């Protein structure tokens, strides 16, 4: 069982009336971003350690609770120890910490008590020193009994610092944060302007978890550039859906006008909008909206393939293109449903409009459909073999 403990006690450096945890980040507040990362690794119970409660903090914790997490606001280690399940493993997040989902997953996957540390000179804004050459990098995994150990200490001891010392004295495993991550995507920030600069790198990293080649080469670079801009401008989720809706309408209209190359080009652009919109919605905790946009990518790709087949049928007077299109959609759907680990070269729905685009430009859409179908068959065959290889 995993629980989370986020510290939200320090004031922002440039906004003394606000807590650092409630500074804007990722379209919400920093604490909401931290909670989203914890929720993604299976945390269902969240403790928020505070010294004072502000209206902004109340609003943030209410929104976090509205997304399915149980949230308890605590003022001391004694309260935290009383609230947490005695068998829970607690992921501790330092006050003002900015990090990525990959780092959170790393420490959550540890089977032992662990501290994330950085070397001196790595560029990370660390919390405090652990030994002569390492500092705590703001994340820890501790058993629930460690909170009870801190609760037994004098009440005037700093909760966060004492928890770190107790864990270090218990010989927690030290995980060394990679220097590149420390410089750009991980650190403690309590200044609104510095947090905004850090957010651009962190937000750009969100697309790195998508492993398919189409995402790596096309959509992740687009998302990495546009997502920070959208967040900074406060673009709402429905705005991305409206833009994608216009793209879908334009795609259908161009197919109707027998302009398949232009239609596929617009479909690729619309897919990029949906991909970025899904990431933006996920960042804001709108998971349902994110799933809708992910499914819309597959639906748009299927519609584009089928309409290309219909256009080939009308232009050539034979059903070859249509048969290839139907076969492609069916094969791609089967490959997507295969519960096998994804390989980078595999096809995804987003890839098909881009693959078909150069063939449509060259006026050989039927050949493009045949090539895409062969690619889909190769993906499906590889998925089947991967499933057969499982013990």
């Amino acid at each position: 069982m995993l629980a989370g403990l986020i510290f939200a006690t320090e004031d922002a450096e440039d906004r003394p009336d606000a807590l650092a945890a409630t500074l804007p980040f990722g379209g919400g507040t920093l604490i909401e971003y931290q909670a989203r990362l914890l929720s993604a690794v299976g945390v269902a119970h969240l403790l928020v350690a505070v010294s004072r409660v502000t209206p902004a903090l109340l609003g943030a914790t209410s929104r976090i609770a509205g997304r399915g997490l149980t949230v308890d606001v605590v003022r001391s280690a004694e309260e935290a120890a009383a609230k947490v399940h005695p068998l829970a493993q607690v992921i501790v997040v330092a006050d003002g910490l900015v990090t990525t989902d990959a780092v959170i997953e790393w420490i959550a996957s540890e089977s032992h008590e662990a501290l994330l540390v950085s070397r001196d000179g790595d560029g990370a804004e660390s919390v405090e020193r652990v030994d002569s050459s390492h500092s705590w990098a703001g994340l820890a995994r501790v058993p629930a009994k460690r909170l009870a150990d801190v609760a037994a200490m004098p009440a005037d001891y700093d909760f966060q610092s004492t928890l770190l010392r107790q864990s270090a004295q218990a010989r927690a495993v030290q995980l060394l944060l990679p220097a590149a991550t420390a410089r750009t995507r991980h650190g403690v920030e309590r200044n609104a302007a510095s947090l905004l600069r850090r957010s651009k790198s962190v937000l750009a990293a969100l697309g790195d978890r998508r492993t398919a080649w189409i995402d790596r080469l096309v959509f992740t670079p687009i998302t990495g550039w546009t997502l920070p801009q959208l967040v900074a401008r406060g673009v709402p989720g429905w705005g991305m859906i409206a833009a994608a809706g216009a793209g879908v309408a334009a795609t259908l209209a161009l197919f109707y006008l027998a302009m398949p190359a232009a239609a596929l080009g617009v479909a690729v652009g619309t897919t990029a909008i949906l991909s970025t919109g899904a990431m933006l919605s996920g960042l804001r905790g709108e998971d349902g909206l994110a799933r809708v946009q992910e499914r819309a990518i597959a639906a748009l790709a299927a519609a584009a393939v089928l309409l290309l087949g219909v256009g080939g049928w009308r232009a050539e007077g034979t059903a070859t293109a249509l048969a290839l299109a139907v076969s492609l959609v069916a094969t791609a759907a089967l490959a997507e449903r295969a519960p096998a680990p994804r390989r980078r070269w595999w096809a995804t729905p987003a890839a098909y409009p881009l693959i078909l685009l150069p063939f449509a430009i060259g006026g050989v859409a039927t050949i493009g459909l045949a090539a895409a179908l062969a690619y889909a068959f190769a993906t499906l065959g590889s998925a089947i073999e991967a499933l057969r290889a499982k013990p």
Side-chain angles (χ1 to χ4, degrees), residues 90-107:
V90 183
I91 308 300
V92 181
V93 181
D95 200 317
L97 181 72
V98 179
T99 189
T100 65
D101 46 5
V103 178
I104 291 284
E105 287 177 10
W106 180 24
I107 199 160

Side-chain angles (χ1 to χ4, degrees), residues 103-324:
V103 178
I104 291 284
E105 287 177 10
W106 180 24
I107 199 160
S109 66
E110 278 295 310
S111 57
H112 302 91
E113 186 168 359
L115 295 174
L116 187 68
V117 300
S118 59
R119 283 197 187 96
D120 292 347
D122 278 351
E125 294 291 334
S126 56
V127 183
E128 60 181 282
R129 187 170 295 282
V130 175
D131 55 36
S132 60
S133 57
H134 297 91
S135 297
W136 185 40
L139 281 175
R141 177 188 171 115
V142 301
K145 66 179 182 179
R146 203 64 63 220
L147 300 180
D149 293 341
V150 178
M153 304 294 286
D156 59 345
Y157 281 24
D158 181 76
F159 185 3
Q160 179 175 283
S161 181
T162 306
L163 180 59
L164 169 63
R165 296 301 158 197
Q166 289 290 318
S167 183
Q169 291 172 15
R171 298 177 182 247
V173 175
Q174 292 189 8
L175 305 177
L176 184 61
L177 182 69
T181 302
R183 283 191 295 271
T184 60
R185 298 176 177 178
H186 184 101
V188 173
E189 297 288 359
R190 299 194 181 105
N191 181 283
S194 299
L195 189 63
L196 179 60
R197 288 193 295 270
R198 173 83 69 170
S199 72
K200 293 180 180 179
S201 177
V202 173
L203 295 178
L206 293 178
D208 291 348
R209 308 311 303 279
R210 295 172 170 175
T211 57
W213 67 268
I214 185 67
D215 292 311
R216 287 284 185 179
L217 299 179
V218 181
F219 298 123
T220 292
I222 293 173
T223 299
W225 184 84
T226 58
L227 190 59
Q229 312 298 324
L230 295 172
V231 168
R233 289 164 175 75
V235 175
W238 61 262
M240 299 299 292
I241 292 179
V248 170
T251 299
L252 298 177
L254 289 167
F255 271 119
Y256 178 78
L257 296 173
M259 302 171 65
L264 287 171
V266 174
V268 171
T270 304
T271 300
I273 294 173
L274 288 168
S275 177
T276 303
M279 193 72 69
L280 181 64
S281 297
L283 177 65
R284 291 171 171 165
E286 301 167 340
D287 295 334
L289 199 58
R291 285 192 294 271
V292 167
Q293 292 175 91
E294 292 285 357
R295 290 169 184 164
I297 292 174
L300 175 60
V305 168
L306 292 174
L307 289 172
L308 188 64
V310 170
W313 179 23
R314 290 176 175 173
E316 299 169 4
T318 67
T320 302
L322 182 58
L324 289 170

